[in-house]
Amino acid sequence: MTYCLPEHISPEIFLRDYWQKKPLLIRNGLPQIVDMFEPKDIIELAQQEGVTARLVKQFSAEKWQLKRSPLSAQDFQQLPEQWSVLVQNLEQWSPELGQLWQAFGFIPQWQRDDIMVSYAPAGGSVGKHYDEYDVFLVQGYGHRRWQLGKWCDPSTEFKPNQPIRIFDDMGELILDEVLASGDILYVPSRLAHYGVAQDDCLTFSFGLRFPNAADLLDNVNKALCQTLPEFDLATFNLPFRLSPTPQATGKLAPAMIDNMKQQLLDLIANSNQFDKLFQHAVASAASTRRYDLLETEEYCDLEEIQEALEQGAQLVQDNNCKLLYLENPLRIYANGEWLDELNLLEAELLKRLADGGAIDLDLLTTLAEETEDPDTTLDLLLDSICNWLDDGWVLLS
């Protein structure tokens, strides 16, 4: 799949001039999404068990109402004139939609959050707001008018006593356009935006975000608690050396705290083991999904998988999975877990998939014949692939 960028804007130009700096309108940037869904599909999906959805009702400029999933058919009765329903993590329910992430492959996939869809009838909106993540807004059905305004920050004040984060002041508008099916609007993080449905419309939000400090510290702590054998963490278990001064027996002096903080920072800055630990923590955080995987009782059949490959099927990444890798040495992470039991060939295959590649039976056969590992046969590779399919890491395309 080709990237969704205009011909005159390369990935390098986009990342240099637009990413987190200014918006970009791309007409007909993703025509593949047109007519993939209709409004009734999203309304029905919002009512299914296990779906993360929100129903936003607007009765007036000052009266909004929010209902979170589970939603039922009754929730969609006696609605006001202006309302919206939003469904998160849509790639879990539509692998075909998930494959459209490849159109945004110029952004590292570990930054992907999820695909959200918003349905609204004419006049429907979720108010003027900003997000703490970058987003590509893709019109999949109907039309929506978008206005972009000021840059915001954590000090930006929202309207009080409302169930959603909205404000009135958009500042000076820098964009005011109506998107038709297939159009894309890139909105950088913290840029105020306001979308209003012009008719029955579906807007798909391809959201991207970075881990925050809390995520990384939490994963550092998890790694320390796991006592991974690959990391020599003995230094981190040694008590700090302090030179106390006379003080009240119950007091923890600020100077002592500052001293421990400095020793901790010195240890972090000068420890090769911490560098390895931090790499692991970042990879774990960056590959962690915000939403639980959909549980299924269906398991793949090895003979069916082999037959599908023999008939020309290809193995691709399931874009419902966050798959990434570290190099030197090669380490694969999927959905927050380090896959430390892979052999080298298995790791190379998953690396290829993480980079957007596809694998067919000819390639599997060739790699199995060329490997120097006597325990890596085609049958064993197919057995591993069957497990990957069950775990939701890969798909047969």
Side-chain angles (χ1 to χ4, degrees):
M1 180 180 295
T2 57
Y3 294 151
C4 65
L5 295 172
E7 290 185 5
H8 66 284
I9 297 180
S10 67
E12 292 77 16
I13 291 174
F14 176 82
L15 294 172
R16 183 193 68 202
D17 297 341
Y18 293 90
W19 179 248
Q20 299 189 330
K21 295 184 180 73
K22 61 182 179 180
L24 176 64
L25 176 60
I26 310 170
R27 294 293 185 187
N28 200 35
L30 198 62
Q32 301 93 326
I33 204 171
V34 177
D35 296 330
M36 284 186 71
F37 299 89
E38 295 184 356
K40 64 180 179 65
D41 301 324
I42 302 307
I43 294 173
E44 291 173 358
L45 179 60
Q47 300 171 49
Q48 289 190 22
E49 183 180 355
V51 170
T52 302
R54 291 168 289 164
L55 179 61
V56 178
K57 303 176 187 179
Q58 182 182 2
F59 298 93
S60 69
E62 301 301 325
K63 186 178 180 182
W64 296 73
Q65 192 176 88
L66 173 66
K67 172 71 185 297
R68 299 183 183 275
S69 52
L71 301 177
S72 67
Q74 186 175 357
D75 293 314
F76 290 88
Q77 297 175 3
Q78 298 181 333
L79 292 167
E81 183 177 346
Q82 297 176 338
W83 62 278
S84 300
V85 62
L86 304 94
V87 178
Q88 302 283 162
N89 194 30
L90 204 65
E91 57 266 64
Q92 176 158 279
W93 307 97
S94 173
E96 294 79 14
L97 180 66
Q99 292 303 307
L100 297 187
W101 268 119
Q102 303 304 323
F104 306 94
F106 49 92
I107 306 292
Q109 69 151 297
W110 58 264
Q111 294 179 32
R112 297 173 190 168
D113 192 20
D114 75 321
I115 304 173
M116 181 189 76
V117 63
S118 169
Y119 164 71
S125 171
V126 293
K128 301 170 183 177
H129 66 285
Y130 77 92
D131 299 310
E132 290 286 359
Y133 54 87
D134 296 81
V135 65
F136 290 90
L137 300 167
V138 183
Q139 196 63 25
Y141 185 97
H143 302 78
R144 191 182 293 261
R145 179 185 180 186
W146 284 102
Q147 294 178 320
L148 306 184
K150 67 180 181 180
W151 290 98
C152 304
D153 58 46
S155 67
T156 300
E157 293 186 4
F158 294 100
K159 297 176 74 168
N161 305 316
Q162 297 293 346
I164 56 177
R165 302 197 320 164
I166 54 175
F167 46 68
D168 290 325
D169 181 18
M170 287 277 290
E172 182 180 352
L173 294 184
I174 61 173
L175 181 142
D176 190 344
E177 297 282 353
V178 174
L179 268 63
S181 297
D183 291 346
I184 301 173
L185 177 61
Y186 165 66
V187 180
S189 170
R190 295 189 177 180
L191 186 63
H193 51 285
Y194 179 42
V196 180
Q198 305 300 287
D199 46 31
D200 273 8
C201 85
L202 297 176
T203 303
F204 295 82
S205 302
F206 289 72
L208 302 119
R209 71 172 76 216
F210 293 92
N212 56 37
D215 295 330
L216 298 184
L217 290 173
D218 182 52
N219 279 276
V220 167
N221 182 60
K222 287 178 180 177
L224 287 168
C225 294
Q226 288 172 344
T227 60
L228 299 170
E230 287 74 14
F231 307 125
D232 181 7
L233 303 178
T235 305
F236 293 88
N237 293 319
L238 295 175
F240 290 127
R241 299 179 66 85
L242 300 169
S243 301
T245 56
Q247 62 183 45
T249 187
K251 180 180 179 180
L252 178 58
M256 289 290 185
I257 296 174
D258 289 342
N259 191 301
M260 284 187 275
K261 175 184 175 182
Q262 189 57 53
Q263 289 190 56
L264 176 60
L265 293 175
D266 291 342
L267 180 60
I268 290 173
N270 301 306
S271 170
N272 177 259
Q273 288 300 318
F274 182 81
D275 290 344
K276 296 178 181 177
L277 182 73
F278 191 68
Q279 279 187 344
H280 172 76
V282 172
S284 299
S287 63
T288 296
R289 294 168 39 85
R290 265 206 305 153
Y291 301 96
D292 293 334
L293 283 170
L294 182 66
E295 294 185 6
T296 176
E297 295 181 358
E298 297 181 6
Y299 296 96
C300 77
D301 181 272
L302 185 58
E303 293 182 0
E304 291 180 359
I305 299 305
Q306 185 164 359
E307 181 179 349
L309 289 168
E310 290 172 351
Q311 293 177 357
Q314 292 185 318
L315 199 67
V316 297
Q317 178 186 344
D318 186 338
N319 285 285
N320 189 43
C321 169
K322 297 189 73 173
L323 190 65
L324 60 85
Y325 59 87
L326 297 173
E327 290 185 316
N328 302 318
L330 179 60
R331 290 177 177 167
I332 308 293
Y333 290 77
N335 296 337
E337 297 292 332
W338 172 23
L339 310 182
D340 58 344
E341 296 183 356
L342 299 173
N343 61 43
L344 182 58
L345 182 52
E346 291 170 339
E348 289 289 349
L349 289 173
L350 288 173
K351 175 178 181 257
R352 181 187 295 258
L353 296 177
D355 282 334
I359 296 170
D360 58 19
L361 185 59
D362 288 342
L363 178 60
L364 286 173
T365 302
T366 300
L367 294 175
E369 291 174 350
E370 292 178 351
T371 183
E372 297 179 359
D373 184 354
D375 295 326
T376 304
T377 64
L378 179 60
D379 287 342
L380 289 174
L381 277 180
L382 291 173
D383 188 58
S384 294
I385 288 169
C386 212
N387 291 331
W388 300 349
L389 287 161
D390 288 338
D391 289 332
W393 303 340
V394 299
L395 290 173
L396 276 176
S397 172

